[in-house]
Amino acid sequence: MSAIHVLDGKAFMNRDFEAVTLPTPWQMYSDWGSFIHADPEVQVFRKTAPVRARGDYELHVSCLKREDIPDVSFEHFIAHDLREWLDLNYREEPKNAPKRFHFRERHHAGRLTVMPVAEQAASYVKSLPYYRAPVEVLWDFSNFGDLRWDRVERSVQLPGRPVPRTDGADAPAVDGSMLLPTIYADVEPDLMHQDIEAIREKQLDRLNHIPQMRRGSLLRHAMAEEIDEELQPLSALCRKHGTFGEAVLPGAFDSITGFFLKAYDGNFEATLIETEIHFYSISLATS
């Protein structure tokens, strides 16, 4: 981990920083009702196959090219983010913040010293599975690779074919039994277009093993068609960009060179990341 510059909140105590105005970043946003992305093809795909993070959630991702802010170091980028975060959440921006700001007050210690320590941040980066890259943090925080096709959910959207939901995820089959009518696929960020066919075949095989649902619900063949229809644009994205991850995030697989874990408590996960080309902010808030 020596090649990665890992920081924590304590590193900013009793520090002064020049105020800086950053350009508008590249951004991605998702919650249970919407998905916003700079690439309209990614946006269309993710509206068809929504991100399925835990519970009600808000996912925020932003990215800045370092060449656009050559005088801003990773520490300065973190300090700028912390200043905005403290002001937004706690109204604790220093009076002289338009020109300089600092983290010298007692309440700063209360906020910054309870953040995950540098050792935890370093351990987190080390735990990333393959590339130790920003896209893996996105996948880990948000389950971004989780695709699912829910027959009950689609059935209630069909005109004139209401299907009452049960209290859980089960639905009634034709034989009166209860089944889980959801097909799952968990795709990795390095997914390429030539991998799509194997995913398709696996999901169709799973669908064939699910009992037919009662009259009024989405038929098995219709569900198979929907799986095909959703995987086709994913295949096109991978073919165009090389991998799913590269379609979703600029510099997706660039090696992490700096890391700041702002929060990691189960309900709020947030980090700031440096690579040779970009600065990133990735956060997920759940309820």
Side-chain angles (χ1 to χ4, degrees):
M1 298 301 294
S2 59
I4 299 178
H5 187 201
V6 180
L7 295 159
D8 59 22
K10 294 188 291 294
F12 294 86
M13 284 300 303
N14 301 316
R15 298 280 302 279
D16 290 301
F17 294 90
E18 293 284 347
V20 61
T21 300
L22 299 180
T24 301
W26 176 97
Q27 297 184 73
M28 175 172 64
Y29 173 81
S30 179
D31 61 22
W32 271 106
S34 62
F35 181 84
I36 300 171
H37 195 279
D39 186 332
E41 293 175 342
V42 176
Q43 187 160 302
V44 168
F45 167 70
R46 266 314 189 186
K47 285 187 176 180
T48 303
V51 177
R52 303 283 189 172
R54 303 180 299 274
D56 292 330
Y57 75 92
E58 286 192 1
L59 171 67
H60 294 264
V61 183
S62 64
C63 174
L64 281 169
K65 286 187 176 181
R66 296 182 61 178
E67 65 180 18
D68 294 335
I69 46 173
D71 297 327
V72 177
S73 67
F74 185 45
E75 287 192 0
H76 203 163
F77 175 72
I78 296 170
H80 175 83
D81 180 271
L82 291 175
R83 166 197 166 187
E84 291 192 335
W85 179 69
L86 289 170
D87 182 44
L88 177 65
N89 291 279
Y90 304 107
R91 296 294 182 260
E92 294 177 353
E93 187 175 49
K95 293 180 180 179
N96 63 343
K99 293 184 178 180
R100 294 188 64 84
F101 59 96
H102 59 78
F103 301 100
R104 297 180 182 276
E105 310 300 331
R106 179 181 298 177
H107 54 252
H108 292 153
R111 309 300 181 194
L112 299 179
T113 58
V114 298
M115 290 180 173
V117 297
E119 290 78 10
Q120 182 181 357
S123 178
Y124 176 82
V125 179
K126 190 175 182 179
S127 73
L128 296 175
Y130 303 113
Y131 303 100
R132 297 183 185 173
V135 72
E136 292 180 311
V137 178
L138 171 63
W139 249 244
D140 178 59
F141 277 16
S142 65
N143 298 325
F144 205 89
D146 180 17
L147 306 178
R148 68 182 69 179
W149 296 270
D150 190 330
R151 297 174 74 192
V152 174
E153 183 176 299
R154 285 292 293 116
S155 294
V156 298
Q157 298 172 8
L158 298 175
R161 303 178 73 179
V163 177
R165 276 199 175 278
T166 62
D167 291 336
D170 293 339
V174 292
D175 61 0
S177 62
M178 302 301 290
L179 64 127
L180 182 66
T182 305
I183 305 296
Y184 293 89
D186 190 15
V187 300
E188 298 296 336
D190 56 2
L191 178 79
M192 295 186 287
H193 75 91
Q194 57 262 41
D195 302 323
I196 300 294
E197 182 59 25
I199 292 173
R200 173 184 173 275
E201 292 296 331
K202 186 174 183 178
Q203 308 323 306
L204 295 181
D205 181 64
R206 288 175 173 173
L207 182 61
N208 286 332
H209 286 82
I210 291 181
Q212 192 66 276
M213 292 172 64
R214 288 181 179 175
R215 182 179 179 182
S217 64
L218 194 68
L219 298 176
R220 188 185 288 122
H221 75 270
M223 190 65 176
E225 290 176 359
E226 292 211 350
I227 291 173
D228 275 339
E229 290 171 0
E230 291 186 15
L231 287 177
Q232 286 173 9
L234 177 59
S235 179
L237 284 173
C238 294
R239 184 183 295 273
K240 179 178 179 180
H241 296 275
T243 65
F244 187 23
E246 289 170 291
V248 169
L249 187 66
F253 295 97
D254 293 347
S255 297
I256 292 172
T257 58
F259 197 78
F260 179 85
L261 192 59
K262 188 162 66 175
Y264 196 65
D265 65 4
N267 293 111
F268 181 51
E269 300 168 346
T271 188
L272 302 172
I273 299 171
E274 175 194 40
T275 67
E276 290 187 357
I277 308 299
H278 297 96
F279 290 141
Y280 302 85
S281 172
I282 302 175
S283 68
L284 178 77
T286 61
S287 61

